Amino acid sequence: MIYLGKKVMSIAIVGDGVRCFKCGRQAAVRVRYARMNLCRDHFAEYVEMRVARVAERHNMFDGIRKLIIALSGGKDSTSLAHIIMRHRDAFRIKEIYGLHLDLGIDGFSEESSHVVRKVCRELNLKCFVLPLRDLIGYSLPELIRISRRPPCSLCGMLKRYLINVVSVELDADAVALGHHMDDLLVFALKDFLVQGNFRMIKLSPVTLGIKGVMAAKLRILHETCEDDIILYANIRGIEYVRSPCPYKYVDNFKAVIREMLDKLEASSPGFKISLMRRLIKVADVKAEGEVIRCKYCGMPSSSGTCSFCKFTERSLGKPLGYDVRSRVRDLIRSLS
Ligand code: SF4
Ligand code: ZN
Ligand code: ZN
């Protein structure tokens, strides 16, 4: 039984008698963008092979010795961890770490940390689970109440900052992010339509790092659609958090873009992949812009004070970046 959990546009369940293109057994799905029918095993292999090819095409792992996989516990990041570990030797990565930030959200965060720990154990992956409360003194819900900032924007800023701090303190070469093609396209198109911003830096398969300031960011799933990940995770029996974060909300603008892209994909299979490839070509994807170090914590900023120090100064009365960096250092040492 294949669980897809939602209407599927890029792959379709096939009926009895349809044969797998690779082995001739009963096929399970039709991969519409590739015009191929595949059985469960060959579908999972196909997803792994495509991800590896994309990584190769963009030389993602050239020179990467130490890698962090950012793990939320959701299907995207846990699937990504499985795929990377399967290709670990081919990618020639020496050290790989899983990293999870425990946001302190009742119920949801316990489940997420539990899943991340379990997945890392199964993959024999060294795992850092960092509780936000131990680092800053507050959980995400408490910080939302204090600052009155929109939850996801605050959460995103904290995650970006803390992942970057860990990558610098661990001297990692890169951080692998679990963002898939659908989310990246929707994000970039909304940014363009609402802000007129065509740099689309978030679409970049690789954002280059700067030694001692920030690690490179690898978007290894940037040509993998969400349908493929859902099916892949289910075929491989990958555990992931199924309950949604209580702060998750429906962004209507994004939902409309997503629906439009899904319709275009349905009428013209492969549309999303070619759109992604075209956008990457025209967008100024590798430029990170000038990096100025934060005067408080030394992490990158655009104006001399990083977003984290600005936020903590405004909401908690003191820029906490410097303290948090030393706490992260201590936590890493105690967990190593
Ligand atoms: Fe953070 Fe929002 Fe995601 Fe919840 S839904 S984990 S608050 S970004
Ligand atoms: Zn097969
Ligand atoms: Zn700072």
Side-chain angles (χ1 to χ4, degrees):
M1 173 74 179
I2 294 171
Y3 168 78
L4 291 168
K6 66 193 253 308
K7 196 172 163 210
V8 171
M9 312 299 285
S10 62
I11 43 182
I13 307 293
V14 294
D16 286 348
V18 180
R19 301 283 141 210
C20 170
F21 171 74
K22 297 268 183 189
C23 66
R25 284 185 292 155
Q26 169 67 43
V29 287
R30 176 161 183 79
V31 185
R32 299 184 67 222
Y33 59 83
R35 297 191 180 88
M36 256 194 308
N37 301 316
L38 293 171
C39 67
R40 292 165 60 92
D41 292 345
H42 281 117
F43 176 79
E45 279 179 17
Y46 178 70
V47 170
E48 288 157 0
M49 182 272 294
R50 276 197 72 236
V51 172
R53 271 199 199 153
V54 166
E56 252 169 49
R57 198 184 319 134
H58 293 282
N59 304 317
M60 282 191 183
F61 292 105
D62 285 9
I64 304 295
R65 293 283 165 267
K66 204 187 267 190
L67 177 75
I68 292 174
I69 305 173
L71 288 159
S72 66
K75 63 184 185 323
D76 310 327
S77 59
T78 50
S79 297
L80 175 67
H82 274 261
I83 295 174
I84 290 177
M85 293 310 274
R86 275 176 185 263
H87 293 304
R88 179 186 188 150
D89 294 341
F91 291 156
R92 294 191 294 278
I93 312 166
K94 284 213 162 71
E95 288 173 63
I96 307 182
Y97 301 90
L99 171 64
H100 174 71
L101 191 61
D102 179 338
L103 301 166
I105 301 171
D106 260 357
F108 176 73
S109 291
E110 282 96 7
E111 189 188 349
S112 306
S113 307
H114 171 75
V115 166
V116 167
R117 284 202 168 92
K118 197 164 172 220
V119 167
C120 288
R121 225 176 11 252
E122 279 166 13
L123 292 173
N124 205 11
L125 189 59
K126 190 160 193 131
C127 178
F128 293 112
V129 175
L130 305 184
L132 192 59
R133 198 191 287 273
D134 290 358
L135 297 176
I136 308 181
Y138 298 94
S139 65
L140 182 69
E142 287 164 342
L143 290 173
I144 293 167
R145 269 196 299 278
I146 296 169
S147 69
R148 299 182 179 207
R149 264 184 69 160
C152 294
S153 121
L154 175 58
C155 178
M157 183 277 286
L158 293 170
K159 280 184 190 162
R160 277 192 298 280
Y161 180 80
L162 292 167
I163 288 173
N164 209 23
V165 165
V166 174
S167 70
V168 169
E169 297 301 340
L170 261 181
D171 195 23
D173 301 302
V175 179
L177 304 169
H179 304 146
H180 56 67
M181 179 172 68
D182 293 277
D183 275 355
L184 291 170
L185 281 177
V186 169
F187 180 90
L189 290 176
K190 182 181 174 187
D191 208 29
F192 173 59
L193 293 170
V194 176
Q195 309 283 346
N197 180 2
F198 200 62
R199 284 183 67 220
M200 296 191 176
I201 195 157
K202 291 267 162 61
L203 279 185
S204 171
V206 178
T207 302
L208 298 177
I210 302 171
K211 185 85 183 149
V213 180
M214 59 187 177
K217 306 283 179 308
L218 309 180
R219 297 175 188 87
I220 302 164
L221 300 178
H222 81 280
E223 272 195 27
T224 306
C225 58
E226 188 175 18
D227 301 336
D228 285 4
I229 296 170
I230 295 171
L231 187 51
Y232 175 78
N234 282 283
I235 288 175
R236 287 280 186 236
I238 296 169
E239 188 155 351
Y240 61 88
V241 180
R242 286 163 199 258
S243 44
C245 169
Y247 293 109
K248 198 172 173 67
Y249 71 102
V250 177
D251 177 331
N252 287 327
F253 202 97
K254 282 188 177 175
V256 172
I257 297 175
R258 173 78 194 241
E259 199 185 323
M260 177 194 77
L261 289 172
D262 282 348
K263 280 186 179 157
L264 288 165
E265 178 69 25
S267 71
S268 180
F271 168 79
K272 286 185 197 171
I273 295 173
S274 16
L275 176 65
M276 176 59 94
R277 288 180 183 167
R278 279 199 301 273
L279 287 176
I280 284 174
K281 269 190 196 148
V282 297
D284 175 16
V285 292
K286 285 212 168 164
E288 187 51 79
E290 197 190 343
V291 171
I292 307 162
R293 281 181 183 251
C294 170
K295 64 179 179 232
Y296 296 113
C297 69
M299 296 303 287
S301 74
S302 51
S303 62
T305 306
C306 72
S307 322
F308 179 79
C309 286
K310 262 188 210 154
F311 165 75
T312 45
E313 187 169 34
R314 205 177 304 130
S315 303
L316 305 173
K318 187 181 168 212
L320 289 179
Y322 184 82
D323 296 350
V324 163
R325 281 192 71 174
S326 50
R327 258 171 239 151
V328 166
R329 219 172 294 141
D330 292 344
L331 270 172
I332 288 176
R333 215 172 292 138
S334 70
L335 295 169
S336 291

